[in-house]
Amino acid sequence: MASSSYYREMYRKKRDEVDDYEDDLKDLNKILESLSFDLPAEVIDVNFELDGLKADLLKGVRHNSLFTNRANAFENKKEKSIGQDRDMSTTQNAIEDEVARVTNLRSQAISSRDYYYDKYQEKKSEERAELLKNIFGG
């Protein structure tokens, strides 16, 4: 049967594993937060700048239908929001799936950590009782 030191070591490994998963979750949530809040603001800023550039170019080059048509067609090339951009939406979904997977792994590691801690406490008590029995003869 395993000794208390074995269970203590397993507890420490699982505790470290839980900490690693928590760090991973923090990083993934920062990325999701950036996708949800920072990126849309940047998209709006870029599109605003493009609108201004287009307006300035149209003012500078007048009476040229080819240029005007191309400048107006440029409207379709503006940055899209995350929900409209297929690649960004796919990326966001993949990150959300990874958050769910890591959360599940973290939960399993917490259960294992708690199990090994309980076994450590139990084994430590048994070892103490055995030691007292050997010392005082029982």
Side-chain angles (χ1 to χ4, degrees):
M1 197 162 196
S3 68
S4 65
S5 61
Y6 167 77
Y7 289 116
R8 184 182 64 222
E9 185 59 30
M10 293 304 295
Y11 162 74
R12 287 179 179 167
K13 284 182 182 179
K14 290 299 177 179
R15 183 191 60 199
D16 293 344
E17 193 175 314
V18 168
D19 291 343
D20 289 343
Y21 287 136
E22 287 175 350
D23 290 342
D24 292 345
L25 284 171
K26 280 184 201 173
D27 293 341
L28 289 168
N29 284 320
K30 280 182 189 176
I31 293 169
L32 276 178
E33 185 177 308
S34 178
L35 281 174
S36 298
F37 300 108
D38 298 339
L39 187 62
E42 289 180 27
V43 166
I44 290 169
D45 291 345
V46 167
N47 287 340
F48 179 77
E49 291 294 325
L50 289 174
D51 286 339
L53 208 79
K54 178 184 154 195
D56 290 345
L57 287 171
L58 287 173
K59 285 179 194 173
V61 180
R62 296 179 189 200
H63 311 296
N64 183 332
S65 61
L66 179 64
F67 181 81
T68 302
N69 289 339
R70 287 190 179 166
N72 288 332
F74 186 71
E75 190 73 23
N76 296 329
K77 299 197 184 278
K78 288 170 82 173
E79 291 295 318
K80 298 173 180 75
S81 68
I82 291 175
Q84 294 173 327
D85 186 318
R86 183 179 47 132
D87 292 332
M88 291 302 291
S89 183
T90 300
T91 299
Q92 185 175 13
N93 289 338
I95 293 171
E96 288 170 351
D97 290 346
E98 183 65 6
V99 166
R101 186 184 77 79
V102 172
T103 299
N104 186 35
L105 290 172
R106 179 181 159 270
S107 295
Q108 292 173 0
I110 287 172
S111 294
S112 295
R113 177 198 66 190
D114 294 346
Y115 168 78
Y116 285 120
Y117 185 75
D118 290 344
K119 291 300 275 184
Y120 164 70
Q121 294 286 63
E122 179 182 308
K123 202 63 168 157
K124 195 69 173 166
S125 293
E126 288 175 11
E127 290 172 356
R128 282 185 190 135
E130 184 69 28
L131 181 62
L132 289 173
K133 181 178 172 185
N134 290 338
I135 290 175
F136 297 113

